[in-house]
Amino acid sequence: MIKEFKFSEPMLKSVYSDESEEIKNELSLLQLKLKEQNLPVVVIFEGMSAAGKGRTISETILSLDPRFFKTYSMAPVNKVEKRFPRMQRYWNKIPKKGQISFFDRSWYKDLFYDVDNIDFLFSQEFQNRIKNIETFERQLSDNGYLIIKFYIHITKEEQKKRLKKLSSKKETAWRVNKFDWGANKYYNQMLKFMDGIVEQTNFDFSNWHIIDGVDKLNRNIQVLRTIKDTISKALEEKRKEKPDNDENAEIAMPGFRLIKKPLLEEVNLNRSIDPIVYKEMLNKYQKRLKKIQNEMYIKKIPAIIVFEGWDAGGKGGAIKRVAGSFDARSYAVNPVSSPSPEEASYHYLWRFWDTVPKNGHIAIYDRSWYGRVLVERVENFATNSQWQRAYREINEFEKELNDWGAAVIKFWMQIDTDTQLTRFNERQKSQFKQWKITDEDWRNRKKTPQYEVAANQMIKLTSTDFSPWNIIEANDKLYARIKVLQVLEKSLSNHLKLYKKRNK
Amino acid sequence: MIKEFKFSEPMLKSVYSDESEEIKNELSLLQLKLKEQNLPVVVIFEGMSAAGKGRTISETILSLDPRFFKTYSMAPVNKVEKRFPRMQRYWNKIPKKGQISFFDRSWYKDLFYDVDNIDFLFSQEFQNRIKNIETFERQLSDNGYLIIKFYIHITKEEQKKRLKKLSSKKETAWRVNKFDWGANKYYNQMLKFMDGIVEQTNFDFSNWHIIDGVDKLNRNIQVLRTIKDTISKALEEKRKEKPDNDENAEIAMPGFRLIKKPLLEEVNLNRSIDPIVYKEMLNKYQKRLKKIQNEMYIKKIPAIIVFEGWDAGGKGGAIKRVAGSFDARSYAVNPVSSPSPEEASYHYLWRFWDTVPKNGHIAIYDRSWYGRVLVERVENFATNSQWQRAYREINEFEKELNDWGAAVIKFWMQIDTDTQLTRFNERQKSQFKQWKITDEDWRNRKKTPQYEVAANQMIKLTSTDFSPWNIIEANDKLYARIKVLQVLEKSLSNHLKLYKKRNK
């Protein structure tokens, strides 16, 4: 794609002035419509050193209201960022609805930094990375984000000329380093790499625009025009999220192997444990977990532990015992409730990406991203298409965490409706538990059948082989807590073993 | 204080079991009351290596609901954190109302890391650091935060014994490094430093508790009891924010030199500029600013630029021209509106600390922390005591930014009420400006006299010598924009000169 690009004749200054003026005026109006229609836009600029990415961004934003866009200049991944999943630093920077994020270098540059020889382009690792990028862009696009990707193209000669010019002036010399010169030396090879990457990531929902970077006026006009046209088109189409379709959600789960789990009504809840045995077991498993956690901490292996289940199902009590097993400095508990207006103005996974732990640490979730296919489904806060699509998106999210090295362990705390009623009444009566019960809990209880359908479908469609649901029989609180600790011990041990095997 | 500490006899296990059980039960109830009364609590643990800080935290939190506290283990300041003001990484971690933050090492350890000889304790730099800490803790305390500080004390012999034991076991050996051994070698000197620091930071609103760290049971009981007692007392007193008092806010401004500014009604608004001259001047000053910004970027000098002023005063237009002067990658514009519920559950400065730019970068604020003494005062969202106290708190905030190296430049966009009415009407009529005008603007307009009193007092009390207000005559938009650019150019140039002088 890049290699076949034809450079144009240099543009006349007078032509540029008129045309750019016109486009900029239109852009500044489009920005308001963007706000009105709540359309979020991601614009990325890639290209070799000295291609003029920064200058193009400066020129583009001149016409925009700076309160409604942000620009990010992405340096190579730093030491702190290295401790988080690769895409996290981009998830953190996606725009709110109605706003624009401009990226000067992006996830493509990260990929490019890791290319060290041509064979990499044919490796499995490379394919996985491309897949990651595709997933990221598709998830944004499906959720209503417009993505505009630019590759600014300059010739080897032009690059050399510019690097020389930059180096010759005192105030710009610091911008050029030995890597830039290296890039010029190996220009042809670099171009080959970039071309390969661009070709493989030219998706329907986010295609590339190759821009003439040799003539600056051409470059500016092409970028301005492309942004203007793409946004106009999206606004005309009243581009929103992917529309509802008749497709069955169960079909749309490519690439995941699912583990069969029983239906919730089939679970035998008559399991209990003697309080004396409980104390012993609690002690035993907490000690074992402590030891495992220590090893994971040293080896910098992260874990994500999710608790879902019925109101009064015993999530809080179980979390307390799990947390009590770990070193206080190694974990954080994240209670999740309905998104704040701020949170709701982003992609629904944005707030969860933000709480992913650094490697070696543990994040415990008291409710989670599964709200999308539970409460948001039942209460119609999400459209059919949104919650149906979410099964796959969530599997992809957890896969990414797993690929990064995290154990992703999920618990569903199952109780029957009688037990729930008893506990609700207890809470109502107890001075210290009243805060735990709200009108909402009673309202939810009335919708038990709908929630059960949603929970069963969730367990079916998101019990992947790398992170199946663990259904915990929780009528007896003590039994439930021990079961959680046991499952956790086993899952984390297995995860550690796999890690050791892989790193042998 | 530490040196005179008397260690106790070892505690009997049976006594410990009973007493700790009892205190933990009480603590778990107290936590609920904490939530009810919305009291935020900061608990910090300091002490030498192997004093048992982590273990004490683990023991303490056993009785607590993990959804309502967080623990932070503070490593030495890393490369990314180094680019931000010193206290930022703590402001980021203060708890919400009703929650607890536990710190394993804290701002005291940071101070301690920088002590390299005994003379440091008598230096101006040291006094400034102590002052910073005092300000931080006082600001939290005044705004309703409870602060509990522990120093866990062990003897030189005990430390040596523990380091040996840790080193001898495979699974704990990694916890001991050469710095720990060094600390043991220079124990006496270290103790002297710590003692000096503790003595000077034993404030009324946040005093130290020295804890017997040699006997682990004593240690746990003392910490548990202190936390329980301190929280109980705070809850009984219905500890809220510092109560209203009769003291005049103007008196409570110790340590700041203020620059006299005219009253807003005295400002001559009949200034304007010819559109042709405007274009020329705009071009000229944007070029100059670009150059200055480039130099600041290279030298890693940050800038904070604040815009306040009447609705329709031209903040947006001015910001656009200011932003247009800078490299797109070097600045962010932060539009500030009323705090979200999430934001309101923290200290009011929390959300602003979060947007402080890294060094070399620029943050532009479209409205700011001054909302506390403007809209929150006029609309009674803040109590008298809150907004009166805020003048000093804001001066302290800006002083900290300035000490860190930032230029803090503030603009008040001044227009008269006729001009405002004309612009409101224009906005109402224009298809593309309608979003800029809301019912709230019309309501605010009715309160112009109250806002004028608040603005005059704000300008009077926060025009410090390091960051005075710049009142911009803004009836003529073009004149206002050029004036903003001129003032900015001059202020940033002066800041650069000062920087060079200091670093000669």
Side-chain angles (χ1 to χ4, degrees), chain A residues 28-29 32-33 35 53-55 57-58 61-73 78 80 104 171-172 174-175 290-291 294 297-298 316 319-320 323-324 326-335 340-342 366 431-433 435-436, chain B residues 28-29 32-33 35 53-55 57-58 61-73 78 80 104 171-172 174-175 290-291 294 297-298 316 319-320 323-324 326-335 340-342 366 431-433 435-436:
Chain A
S28 86
L29 297 181
L32 299 179
K33 290 198 195 152
K35 238 181 93 64
K53 300 180 289 295
R55 299 304 304 267
I57 294 181
S58 292
I61 60 181
L62 270 184
S63 55
L64 301 176
D65 187 323
R67 288 172 292 184
F68 307 119
F69 69 81
K70 287 221 175 341
T71 61
Y72 300 100
S73 184
N78 67 36
V80 176
D104 174 6
E171 64 200 64
T172 52
W174 63 277
R175 291 188 189 263
K290 190 186 196 70
K291 220 179 135 205
N294 189 42
Y297 189 81
I298 297 173
I319 288 174
K320 200 162 155 176
F326 300 145
D327 185 297
R329 294 165 283 194
S330 64
Y331 72 87
V333 176
N334 303 291
S340 67
E342 164 82 5
D366 181 0
Q431 182 194 347
F432 297 113
K433 287 186 172 169
W435 67 274
K436 280 182 160 186
Chain B
S28 88
L29 297 181
L32 300 179
K33 290 198 194 153
K35 241 181 88 67
K53 300 181 290 295
R55 299 305 303 267
I57 294 180
S58 292
I61 61 180
L62 270 184
S63 55
L64 301 176
D65 187 323
R67 287 172 293 183
F68 308 119
F69 69 81
K70 287 222 174 343
T71 59
Y72 300 101
S73 185
N78 66 35
V80 176
D104 175 7
E171 64 199 64
T172 53
W174 62 277
R175 290 189 190 263
K290 190 185 199 71
K291 219 180 138 206
N294 189 41
Y297 189 81
I298 297 174
I319 287 174
K320 201 161 155 177
F326 301 145
D327 185 296
R329 295 167 283 194
S330 64
Y331 72 86
V333 176
N334 303 290
S340 69
E342 164 82 3
D366 181 359
Q431 181 194 349
F432 296 113
K433 287 187 172 170
W435 65 277
K436 280 185 161 186

Side-chain angles (χ1 to χ4, degrees), chain A residues 29-39 146 228-239:
Chain A
L29 297 181
L30 277 177
Q31 194 188 11
L32 299 179
K33 290 198 195 152
L34 212 92
K35 238 181 93 64
E36 232 176 74
Q37 284 195 30
N38 265 331
L39 179 73
L146 181 65
K228 189 206 77 179
D229 289 348
T230 316
I231 293 182
S232 293
K233 196 165 148 253
L235 289 171
E236 270 164 35
E237 290 169 356
K238 292 235 173 242
R239 181 190 168 72

Side-chain angles (χ1 to χ4, degrees), chain B residues 196-213:
Chain B
I197 293 173
V198 162
E199 216 157 293
Q200 291 201 51
T201 55
N202 198 34
F203 309 117
D204 292 345
F205 42 82
S206 58
N207 60 304
W208 281 97
H209 303 274
I210 316 294
I211 298 294
D212 176 352

Side-chain angles (χ1 to χ4, degrees), chain B residues 270-496:
Chain B
N270 298 325
R271 296 184 180 182
S272 65
I273 196 175
D274 181 272
I276 309 261
V277 180
Y278 168 74
K279 270 218 154 165
E280 246 171 58
M281 303 269 275
L282 179 68
N283 200 357
K284 175 172 127 187
Y285 280 103
Q286 286 197 326
K287 270 196 185 139
R288 285 193 192 175
L289 276 171
K290 190 185 199 71
K291 219 180 138 206
I292 294 176
Q293 186 254 313
N294 189 41
E295 197 175 341
M296 291 179 68
Y297 189 81
I298 297 174
K299 298 206 161 108
K300 290 202 158 48
I301 305 172
I304 317 278
I305 306 171
V306 173
F307 286 86
E308 292 281 355
W310 300 102
D311 291 331
K315 293 188 291 298
I319 287 174
K320 201 161 155 177
R321 274 67 188 188
V322 168
S325 316
F326 301 145
D327 185 296
R329 295 167 283 194
S330 64
Y331 72 86
V333 176
N334 303 290
V336 174
S337 50
S338 55
S340 69
E342 164 82 3
E343 290 167 340
S345 69
Y346 291 92
H347 187 289
Y348 75 99
L349 287 175
W350 174 83
R351 61 176 175 145
F352 300 110
W353 272 101
D354 206 43
T355 55
V356 167
K358 61 181 165 197
N359 59 19
H361 285 241
I362 297 170
I364 301 172
Y365 291 88
D366 181 359
R367 302 199 187 279
S368 68
W369 39 93
Y370 284 99
R372 190 76 163 181
V373 295
L374 293 170
V375 55
E376 294 190 35
R377 167 183 179 173
V378 172
E379 302 292 345
N380 290 318
F381 299 150
T383 64
N384 286 347
S385 159
Q386 283 178 330
W387 62 257
Q388 284 175 10
R389 201 171 57 228
Y391 298 115
R392 181 182 178 185
E393 290 166 341
I394 287 173
N395 284 345
E396 288 170 338
F397 172 50
E398 294 178 358
K399 178 81 166 49
E400 208 163 329
L401 296 175
N402 187 254
D403 284 347
W404 164 57
V408 184
I409 300 164
K410 305 184 297 215
F411 295 101
W412 175 269
M413 307 300 283
Q414 176 66 10
I415 53 171
D416 57 35
T417 51
D418 291 348
T419 306
Q420 190 186 46
L421 185 63
T422 314
R423 291 191 188 167
F424 275 16
N425 285 330
E426 265 172 25
R427 288 182 176 188
Q428 207 85 336
K429 271 179 269 173
S430 158
Q431 181 194 349
F432 296 113
K433 287 187 172 170
Q434 260 177 36
W435 65 277
K436 280 185 161 186
I437 180 120
T438 64
D439 292 349
E440 208 186 314
D441 294 325
W442 290 104
R443 275 199 303 276
N444 288 346
R445 187 173 153 81
K446 283 192 190 141
K447 295 195 178 162
T448 297
Q450 291 97 305
Y451 273 102
E452 184 153 344
V453 169
N456 273 325
Q457 192 170 15
M458 170 191 87
I459 291 171
K460 182 173 175 188
L461 293 176
T462 59
S463 280
T464 52
D465 52 355
F466 55 88
S467 176
W469 279 94
N470 300 289
I471 303 172
I472 303 296
E473 305 83 347
N475 268 6
D476 181 69
K477 279 182 189 178
L478 303 187
Y479 176 86
R481 289 173 193 166
I482 296 301
K483 177 94 183 260
V484 163
L485 294 177
Q486 279 178 335
V487 170
L488 200 56
E489 196 245 55
K490 193 159 172 229
S491 309
L492 291 177
S493 299
N494 285 340
H495 191 74
L496 254 174

Side-chain angles (χ1 to χ4, degrees), chain B residues 173-230:
Chain B
W174 62 277
R175 290 189 190 263
V176 182
N177 61 33
K178 62 176 178 177
F179 294 106
D180 298 318
W181 286 113
N184 189 252
K185 191 170 168 194
Y186 298 105
Y187 177 94
N188 290 332
Q189 201 167 356
M190 302 270 285
L191 187 64
K192 214 165 171 179
F193 291 151
M194 276 318 281
D195 203 32
I197 293 173
V198 162
E199 216 157 293
Q200 291 201 51
T201 55
N202 198 34
F203 309 117
D204 292 345
F205 42 82
S206 58
N207 60 304
W208 281 97
H209 303 274
I210 316 294
I211 298 294
D212 176 352
V214 171
D215 180 58
K216 289 175 191 173
L217 305 185
N218 265 326
R219 178 195 72 197
N220 290 347
I221 283 289
Q222 286 175 18
V223 166
L224 284 167
R225 199 189 291 135
T226 306
I227 293 180
K228 190 206 76 178
D229 290 347
T230 316

